[in-house]
Structure formats: C-alpha cells, structure tokens
Amino acid sequence: MSFIAEALASFYARTRNWQRALEVWTVAPRDQALARNAAVGRAELFIAGAIDAVNEELNTLTALKKRLPSGIEISLPGIEDSLLRGAERDLLRLKRGLEQLLPEKRRRAFGLNDRL
C-alpha cells in the first residue's frame, strides 16, 4: 500500500494537484516501507505552497512596478516605490529561506519552476 500511495502522491505533487497529494500522503500507511516519504512529503508540500505564494506575490509586485503611479504616489512622491521595494525585499528573504528548506530537486518534484 505504501508504494502505491507514494506513487500516486508523487504524481499529484508533480502535476501541482497538491490537495490530492496531501490527501494521499495523509492516509498512507505509517507502518510500512515508505512511511517516511509520506511524512516528509506532507511537510514539504506546505513549503512548496509557501514558495508558490511568494512567487505569485513577486509577480504581482513586478506588475505593480510597471503600471502608472497611484494616488498615493502623487501626494507623497517616492513612497510607492519605497513600499514596493520593501515588500520585494521581505518576499525575497522569505523565498531564500524556504528554498533552503526545499532544495531545487524537491522543488521540481512539486512542479515548481523558478519563474523569476
């Protein structure tokens, strides 16, 4: 059973169907050969989700930088750029930390590719 669960969960993870992967790893037997894979896979899944969220937010910041200044920029020149740079700095710090927890090979196993 653990081999089937691992194969299914790995497939779902690679195809970014993370909810199904989580469901399979959650019910995978813990008293069989691949119990470790299920336990670690569940934890890594949440890290992969966090990396994906950070990447999405960085893409949003990139789009915001390309658009016209907002009303806040008109009343306080330079503030919008400063706020965007600060958010980007914080997101990149988080991304570096998360990537240390989930190495490139494992990120690929979760269907993550570096789009930035």
Side-chain angles (χ1 to χ4, degrees):
M1 281 301 289
S2 68
F3 288 99
I4 293 170
E6 178 59 24
L8 274 173
S10 293
F11 168 77
Y12 288 136
R14 184 171 299 276
T15 58
R16 296 178 62 97
N17 190 343
W18 294 341
Q19 185 58 42
R20 293 287 294 164
L22 182 61
E23 291 168 5
V24 174
W25 273 322
T26 299
V27 299
R30 294 298 192 264
D31 61 346
Q32 294 183 9
L34 296 178
R36 176 188 174 275
N37 295 42
V40 171
R42 284 184 67 203
E44 287 179 336
L45 186 78
F46 290 103
I47 297 169
I51 290 171
D52 194 47
V54 167
N55 283 336
E56 287 176 7
E57 291 303 322
L58 286 168
N59 288 334
T60 300
L61 288 177
T62 300
L64 287 172
K65 287 179 181 179
K66 292 178 182 176
R67 70 174 172 80
L68 295 174
S70 67
I72 191 173
E73 184 68 24
I74 294 168
S75 61
L76 294 169
I79 189 72
E80 191 168 14
D81 187 50
S82 176
L83 292 171
L84 292 174
R85 276 195 325 264
E88 182 178 41
R89 182 185 61 243
D90 291 342
L91 288 168
L92 288 172
R93 179 183 47 80
L94 287 170
K95 184 177 178 177
R96 281 190 303 274
L98 291 166
E99 286 176 343
Q100 288 179 355
L101 293 172
L102 196 66
E104 184 180 350
K105 182 179 177 182
R106 289 302 292 160
R107 289 193 305 270
R108 281 194 310 265
F110 282 94
L112 294 172
N113 56 2
D114 289 331
R115 294 176 287 233
L116 297 173

